[in-house]
Amino acid sequence: KADRSTSLVELEEIVDKEINSQIDSFGTGEDDPVNIYDDMEELVELAGMDKKEEIFGKFKLVNKIYGSLHEAGNISTIIARSAGGKTTLALDECCYVNDKYEIPVLHFDNGEMSKEELQFRRISAISGVPHYLIKKGLWRNNPETCVKVRAALKRIKELGSKFYYHCMAGMTADEMVAVAKKFYYSKVGRGNKMIISFDYIKPPEQNSNGSPEWQVLGQLVNRLKKCIQKEILFEGKPMVSLFTSAQANRSGVVTNKSKDKIVDDESIISGAD
């Protein structure tokens, strides 16, 4: 209660508490701030009991420095200049995890690589036979490359890996999320892990509202982040990780630069020059 001696600041505090206590009854509480110490003991004890397998990729030094890049709910992004090998590295990493842990991968391509091109690249990587020999059909002209390619094809069948391709050129972020959800529940199944391989983050071809590039990119990433952290869940926990890449601008060029001149911060991330 307040009386005439109550200051304006105190009165404001009393009114705030009264009004907001009533507002709470209309909300679900899901978006309210929470005290991190309330259930900390339970969380830590459960973590000690859960001997879940860590999902590590093929690059040992990266695993040692950063830990798993495929924790459900996380987004890992490779940043490099155009033609720097982002797609090759990302595919290699996701396919390695796909094979080793039998985790399905949904590969979103922005329209720059067809399903057939992706198939040629993967069989080249697995067999060790140059890409151009496979794509041009010249691998059959040499007994050695025939053995390598057919051995790789046999290995792929034996592994039974599930790597799915979907061209998302021209799609909005909401449309991509709808595809991801439908795929997860129809092909992967509730409670199972999945990796979304996204090649690559760039502004959409159609920017109807004229927003600046950085804002559009931020909205895209935020929508995907919301999907894997809050929408595709099992018993309240995320099940999907996202592995993607983005282009560095000219300030990210490292050729002919001394160590102290190399820019290694978020200012190089652009999507274009």
Side-chain angles (χ1 to χ4, degrees):
K1 294 181 178 180
D3 54 35
R4 290 182 177 274
S5 64
T6 305
S7 69
L8 286 175
V9 174
E10 291 172 328
L11 185 61
E12 190 176 70
E13 184 178 344
I14 292 171
V15 173
D16 275 344
K17 286 182 178 178
E18 182 66 25
I19 291 175
N20 284 294
S21 66
Q22 298 299 318
I23 289 175
D24 283 346
S25 64
F26 293 96
T28 62
E30 292 179 355
D31 296 322
D32 292 345
V34 294
N35 187 343
I36 68 168
Y37 297 113
D38 284 347
D39 59 351
M40 182 176 285
E41 181 178 358
E42 179 184 357
L43 175 68
V44 174
E45 292 291 351
L46 284 173
M49 296 168 60
D50 185 9
K51 305 299 182 182
K52 62 181 180 180
E53 183 180 20
E54 289 278 6
I55 302 170
F56 288 112
K58 71 179 298 181
F59 304 105
K60 294 182 179 179
L61 183 58
V62 173
N63 297 336
K64 185 176 180 181
I65 296 173
Y66 297 105
S68 173
L69 298 182
H70 303 281
E71 285 290 327
N74 285 1
I75 299 176
S76 297
T77 311
I78 300 168
I79 307 297
R81 286 289 290 162
S82 178
K86 300 184 294 295
T87 297
T88 300
L89 191 151
L91 284 175
D92 211 30
E93 171 75 3
C94 290
C95 287
Y96 175 87
V97 174
N98 177 231
D99 292 342
K100 182 176 180 180
Y101 300 95
E102 298 182 354
I103 298 176
V105 174
L106 173 59
H107 179 75
F108 278 138
D109 191 274
N110 59 29
E112 296 185 7
M113 189 185 302
S114 67
K115 171 191 169 185
E116 290 73 21
E117 180 65 23
L118 188 63
Q119 289 173 315
F120 286 139
R121 284 197 180 206
R122 286 310 302 153
I123 195 62
S124 173
I126 296 169
S127 67
V129 175
H131 174 262
Y132 78 93
L133 290 180
I134 295 176
K135 189 172 183 179
K136 298 295 183 181
L138 301 176
W139 62 273
R140 299 188 68 172
N141 295 348
N142 184 300
E144 184 179 349
T145 55
C146 278
V147 170
K148 289 182 178 180
V149 169
R150 286 180 174 140
L153 291 170
K154 181 180 178 182
R155 177 171 173 264
I156 290 171
K157 287 183 178 180
E158 290 173 348
L159 286 171
S161 300
K162 296 180 179 180
F163 192 103
Y164 295 83
Y165 170 93
H166 188 90
C167 179
M168 47 82 173
M171 295 175 65
T172 65
D174 284 331
E175 288 171 336
M176 283 183 260
V177 166
V179 171
K181 287 181 178 178
K182 179 182 178 182
F183 174 83
Y184 179 79
Y185 292 116
S186 64
K187 299 288 187 182
V188 180
R190 294 179 184 272
N192 297 315
K193 293 185 181 297
M194 182 179 88
I195 295 173
I196 296 177
S197 167
F198 192 134
D199 186 30
Y200 59 96
I201 296 175
K202 70 172 187 176
E205 297 175 2
Q206 302 295 329
N207 183 3
S208 57
N209 58 11
S211 300
E213 178 186 285
W214 61 266
Q215 189 174 22
V216 176
L217 289 174
Q219 291 169 346
L220 170 62
V221 174
N222 189 58
R223 184 66 189 92
L224 294 171
K225 181 179 179 181
K226 182 181 178 182
C227 171
I228 67 173
Q229 290 188 346
K230 295 186 176 182
E231 296 178 11
I232 301 180
L233 305 174
F234 182 72
E235 296 181 346
K237 296 181 180 179
M239 290 287 112
V240 181
S241 64
L242 175 63
F243 202 86
T244 185
S245 58
Q247 183 173 313
N249 54 34
R250 289 193 183 97
S251 64
V253 175
V254 299
T255 307
N256 297 324
K257 287 184 179 179
S258 59
K259 184 178 179 181
D260 60 318
K261 298 295 183 182
I262 294 176
V263 180
D264 188 21
D265 59 36
E266 68 277 7
S267 68
I268 70 168
I269 304 170
S270 175
D273 288 323

